[in-house]
Amino acid sequence: MKPHKPKELAADSSNNSLNAVLQALRCEPSPLSGEALAARLGLSRTAVWKRINRLKAQGSAIAGSPRRGYRLLAPPDKLLPAEIALGLQARRLTGPVHYFEGLASTNDLAKELAAKEAPEGTLVVAESQSRGRGRLGRQWDSPPGVGLYVSLLLRPPLPPSEMPQITLTTAVAVARALKRVTGVAPGIKWPNDLLLGGKKLGGILTEMETESDQIRYLVVGLGLNVNNPAFPKELRALATSLALTTGRQFSRVQLLQAWLEEFEALYDRFLAREFPAILEEWRSLTVTLGRRVTVRQGPLTICGQALEVTPDGALLVREDSGEVVRVTSGEIAA
Ligand code: BTN
């Protein structure tokens, strides 16, 4: 049987001219004719008409015709490439954006693209995932239209041992973005779970491919529960969303833009060897240090006091015997 290929929208740089049309419509409450739009943007009328149709096909609610003029009825509540690019302040990590209504896993596709030499900054975004993956082989619940399911491709010229630091950096960027857009300050559970009220709000799955002791590529996958009105029974005690905690709805586009902007700023500092300052910020946001923890690391269970996170991202736990154990992966169960 032929494998089903998910439908992809606008994964190329012609997004720029779509953005320009969208921007012009955003700023104009009265209808803008095809002619006026063409003159304003330096495009032919046919080019304008084509872009309007593409925006409509992507889900933008645009009413009107070339002669009567076009009007944007409401910005779509979708993570469309043109919406993401509009007003995005990031300079380097800006696409191409591969957008899907439904996908198995954004991380899986990002890895496929990476293997085909996609550039750093490539972003894979889906409205839903059928096989969203979490850490330690878990599933990531990814219902349509309510969460962020995104994967960002990076190519840091560094050894694989630095990957944990990028994961911690990502969590700090998510915390910053959440604070900026929603006012909500999540806690970070080592290594990179985002928590609100003790429940999981988001998680990060970082995966990499190496080549002769260098990172060939790294995919940072972010899952964030934004407007989920509820969770399946088995997750109810464990997971929460921004909407459930605050009673408000949030723009996923705005959250994604804020994460990209904060991440880019932190990633630049990371590449400039400023990780110690990022780690300090991570320490100020974590709910793990100083607490009694139970860490599951494969078949091992380590119980004790969480003392410190080392500059390479490992957690130091003082067991009841007094021995200090270095934990490099695993999950804090309690
Ligand atoms: C965790 O277990 O805490 C990590 C969850 C990561 C989920 C995200 S959703 C987007 C990306 N694609 C995936 O398949 N997983 C990550």
Side-chain angles (χ1 to χ4, degrees):
M1 200 169 67
K2 220 173 139 198
H4 167 72
K5 192 166 182 297
K7 191 169 160 223
E8 178 176 2
L9 287 175
D12 53 60
S13 53
S14 65
N15 283 331
N16 287 346
S17 51
L18 287 187
N19 298 342
V21 174
L22 205 54
Q23 179 79 304
L25 293 176
R26 276 267 172 88
C27 300
E28 196 64 55
S30 43
L32 260 178
S33 70
E35 195 177 352
L37 265 171
R40 193 178 287 191
L41 303 174
L43 294 168
S44 71
R45 275 186 283 171
T46 316
V48 166
W49 178 77
K50 279 190 183 155
R51 281 161 181 75
I52 292 277
N53 285 342
R54 261 182 83 184
L55 285 167
K56 282 184 181 171
Q58 287 187 2
S60 291
I62 298 171
S65 65
R67 266 194 298 118
R68 279 186 291 118
Y70 298 107
R71 200 160 56 85
L72 191 62
L73 297 177
D77 181 25
K78 296 216 169 191
L79 294 156
L80 303 171
E83 291 286 325
I84 296 168
L86 204 63
L88 180 67
Q89 296 297 314
R91 286 165 294 109
R92 288 190 308 108
L93 304 178
T94 53
V97 180
H98 297 256
Y99 170 87
F100 298 83
E101 277 290 335
L103 198 60
S105 154
T106 56
N107 262 38
D108 287 352
L109 184 70
K111 288 198 289 182
E112 267 177 46
L113 294 168
K116 292 179 193 152
E117 305 308 328
E120 175 160 271
T122 295
L123 196 67
V124 181
V125 184
E127 297 289 346
S128 70
Q129 297 182 116
S130 54
R131 286 199 298 277
R133 294 187 291 110
R135 289 176 64 237
L136 309 169
R138 302 226 174 84
Q139 286 183 1
W140 187 259
D141 187 46
S142 314
V146 290
L148 271 187
Y149 321 114
V150 296
S151 300
L152 178 64
L153 172 61
L154 302 174
R155 296 187 182 278
L158 295 171
S161 56
E162 303 218 10
M163 179 176 113
Q165 304 185 358
I166 296 187
T167 304
L168 298 187
T169 301
T170 309
V172 173
V174 181
R176 279 188 181 190
L178 282 164
K179 187 83 206 311
R180 165 143 73 99
V181 174
T182 70
V184 164
I188 303 177
K189 184 172 92 166
W190 181 88
N192 52 18
D193 283 357
L194 281 306
L195 302 187
L196 263 189
K199 293 185 177 181
K200 189 145 164 174
L201 179 73
I204 296 155
L205 176 67
T206 315
E207 298 180 291
M208 72 173 162
E209 182 74 31
T210 60
E211 198 171 45
S212 38
D213 215 28
Q214 272 277 113
I215 296 177
R216 193 157 98 82
Y217 66 77
L218 201 141
V219 168
V220 177
L222 168 67
L224 194 65
N225 303 326
V226 182
N227 294 323
N228 310 50
F231 286 91
K233 211 153 118 214
E234 65 280 8
L235 292 179
R236 240 166 258 166
L238 306 171
T240 192
S241 68
L242 284 170
L244 278 173
T245 344
T246 65
R248 291 185 287 150
Q249 297 279 305
F250 294 95
S251 155
R252 292 173 305 143
V253 169
Q254 233 186 317
L255 281 162
L256 175 53
Q257 289 173 328
W259 175 60
L260 289 171
E261 289 165 9
E262 296 292 350
F263 182 75
E264 183 177 270
L266 287 168
Y267 182 58
D268 281 346
R269 290 181 64 191
F270 171 75
L271 293 176
R273 313 316 281 167
E274 289 180 36
F275 181 68
I278 300 170
L279 184 58
E280 261 324 295
E281 191 168 339
W282 185 94
R283 285 192 182 112
S284 75
L285 295 165
T286 187
V287 294
T288 298
L289 298 184
R291 275 189 39 211
R292 193 176 164 76
V293 292
T294 301
V295 192
R296 303 246 151 80
Q297 191 177 25
L300 278 183
T301 300
I302 300 150
C303 294
Q305 172 106 1
L307 295 180
E308 189 47 289
V309 168
T310 61
D312 57 357
L315 181 67
L316 299 184
V317 179
R318 182 167 45 228
E319 288 190 300
D320 298 338
S321 64
E323 192 189 341
V324 176
V325 183
R326 194 183 134 85
V327 190
T328 50
S329 67
E331 178 166 63
I332 297 182

